[in-house]
Amino acid sequence: VMSKDITEQKALEEQVQRKNEELALQYRRVQEANRLKSEFLANMSHELRTPLNAIIGFSELMYDGRVGAVSPEQKEFLGDILNSSRHLLQLINDVLDLAKVESGKLEFFPESLDLARLIGEVRDILRTLASNKRIAIEVAVDPAVASIVADAGKLKQVLYNYLSNALKFSPEGSRVAVRAVPEGARQLRLEVEDSGIGIKSEDLGRLFVEFQQLDASTAKKYQGTGLGLALTKRIVEAQRGRVGVRSTYGEGSLFYAVLPRDLAASLATGDEPTEPVRSRRVLAIDEDADDRDWLVRTLTDAGYAVEAAANGQEGLRRCREQVFDAIILDLLLPDISGGDLLRAIRDNGHNRDTPIIIVSVVADLGVGAGCQVHDILQKPARRDDLLAALASAAVPPDGRS
């Protein structure tokens, strides 16, 4: 019998070793595929930009009448060619930058900067877009962060992405505010606030993700790859910073980036992280729209990546699609009882061990018997209590345990 037990144990150990070797091989293949993809994107982007530069250059000469007179109709067509070519070039540049980030070739060149002047330069680049929509751009820079050490090109790119989005999604005759304020002793916080169309709370978690736009109709009306915010996030996180958004649907949005005031000092302290710090992903399931929006705003402002669901079925669908770092759950849902939803989440493999925090007017400790609940908060919950519950569940916002 002992001989049989030893034989079975050895067979099991060999099986486990084979599985480990297979996983290691698959991981190496994925890494190689990612490297090849990034190299391909970078090479293709360069190849595509070369003919586009010629198209734009010669079109400009013809549009300006430098090679002969053109009729009004021809000038209109040349203007269309120029606008389309410049738009295509911007999309290619976005892809190239993403490839650089993914292949680890994104370099930073810190220098002393006048932040107000740099913001003014970005504002001037977008002056035509702002004036066409009669949008006033207000700039306010706190004296404490007036002089910083940063990479001018990368900082302009972050500001350009935020500000161009704000102008794009704002109504005519409105205002957009750009602010720079201190964040702690060593960081600064850049904010771009608009009074535009805003973002639904359930869509906030899809921002800063590559190639994603919120819906097809919006994508048709507002052009872009869906890369701008994703690139902004990667560029900021590569500098040990973080990004976020607060938004009220129909009222406007505030996008922010927290960055070091002295990039050179920040990059010099310790080795570069092997991969960007990931914001912890939280799912908030709550039927009440006001409570749901409060949860999304509070958690997003604290640095979490938040997704929201208005009912149990939608929450369960999201739980089946991905793993969350924490789940905030209201027990009073329109389509399923809190206990049944708890059991369904725990029965599904993706979020079997995810910390669940109940935030409800019904603080029933017996709900979902047999299902582990990390904490129960009674509505109306306080911000500090909610963040403390997440902290005690070992779910800090930036992914560092």
Side-chain angles (χ1 to χ4, degrees), residues 16 39 52 57 80 97 131 165 182 198 222 227 230 237 242 246 322 326 363 370 377 381 386 389:
V16 170
E39 285 186 7
L52 261 180
D80 290 340
D97 284 337
S131 62
N165 268 0
Y222 307 102
L227 276 177
E237 287 183 346
R242 58 186 172 85
R246 297 199 306 270
Q322 61 182 299
L377 303 177
L386 180 62

Side-chain angles (χ1 to χ4, degrees), residues 191-243:
E191 297 180 342
V192 177
E193 186 171 18
D194 64 67
S195 53
I197 60 174
I199 302 152
K200 294 177 181 176
S201 57
E202 59 265 30
D203 287 331
L204 285 172
R206 294 170 56 198
L207 296 172
F208 299 104
V209 179
E210 284 87 346
F211 302 106
Q212 284 209 16
Q213 289 180 296
L214 297 188
D215 61 59
S217 61
T218 301
K220 285 177 185 173
K221 187 175 179 182
Y222 307 102
Q223 291 183 325
T225 50
L227 276 177
L229 288 179
L231 273 169
T232 299
K233 183 174 189 288
R234 298 288 195 97
I235 290 168
V236 171
E237 287 183 346
Q239 299 175 70
R240 292 187 169 84
R242 58 186 172 85
V243 296

Side-chain angles (χ1 to χ4, degrees), residues 177-189:
V178 182
R179 291 184 289 268
V181 295
E183 177 96 351
R186 297 182 180 178
Q187 294 179 308
L188 66 102
R189 182 185 182 96

Side-chain angles (χ1 to χ4, degrees), residues 118-273:
L118 184 138
I119 294 172
E121 290 172 1
V122 176
R123 181 185 56 191
D124 290 345
I125 294 170
L126 292 162
R127 180 176 286 159
T128 303
L129 177 57
S131 62
N132 286 344
K133 297 182 73 175
R134 295 179 291 105
I135 297 173
I137 301 175
E138 301 171 347
V139 177
V141 177
D142 189 292
V145 293
S147 298
I148 60 170
V149 176
D151 183 307
K154 300 299 186 299
L155 190 53
K156 280 184 178 180
Q157 193 170 6
V158 169
L159 277 167
Y160 179 88
N161 284 335
Y162 277 170
L163 189 52
S164 61
N165 268 0
L167 294 171
K168 191 191 300 185
F169 295 107
S170 289
E172 291 193 9
S174 61
R175 292 177 179 273
V176 170
V178 182
R179 291 184 289 268
V181 295
E183 177 96 351
R186 297 182 180 178
Q187 294 179 308
L188 66 102
R189 182 185 182 96
L190 291 171
E191 297 180 342
V192 177
E193 186 171 18
D194 64 67
S195 53
I197 60 174
I199 302 152
K200 294 177 181 176
S201 57
E202 59 265 30
D203 287 331
L204 285 172
R206 294 170 56 198
L207 296 172
F208 299 104
V209 179
E210 284 87 346
F211 302 106
Q212 284 209 16
Q213 289 180 296
L214 297 188
D215 61 59
S217 61
T218 301
K220 285 177 185 173
K221 187 175 179 182
Y222 307 102
Q223 291 183 325
T225 50
L227 276 177
L229 288 179
L231 273 169
T232 299
K233 183 174 189 288
R234 298 288 195 97
I235 290 168
V236 171
E237 287 183 346
Q239 299 175 70
R240 292 187 169 84
R242 58 186 172 85
V243 296
V245 58
R246 297 199 306 270
S247 186
T248 302
Y249 186 60
E251 294 182 17
S253 305
L254 185 151
F255 283 84
Y256 65 85
V258 176
L259 288 160
R261 297 190 208 177
D262 187 338
L263 177 59
S266 177
L267 295 178
T269 55
D271 296 326
E272 282 294 301

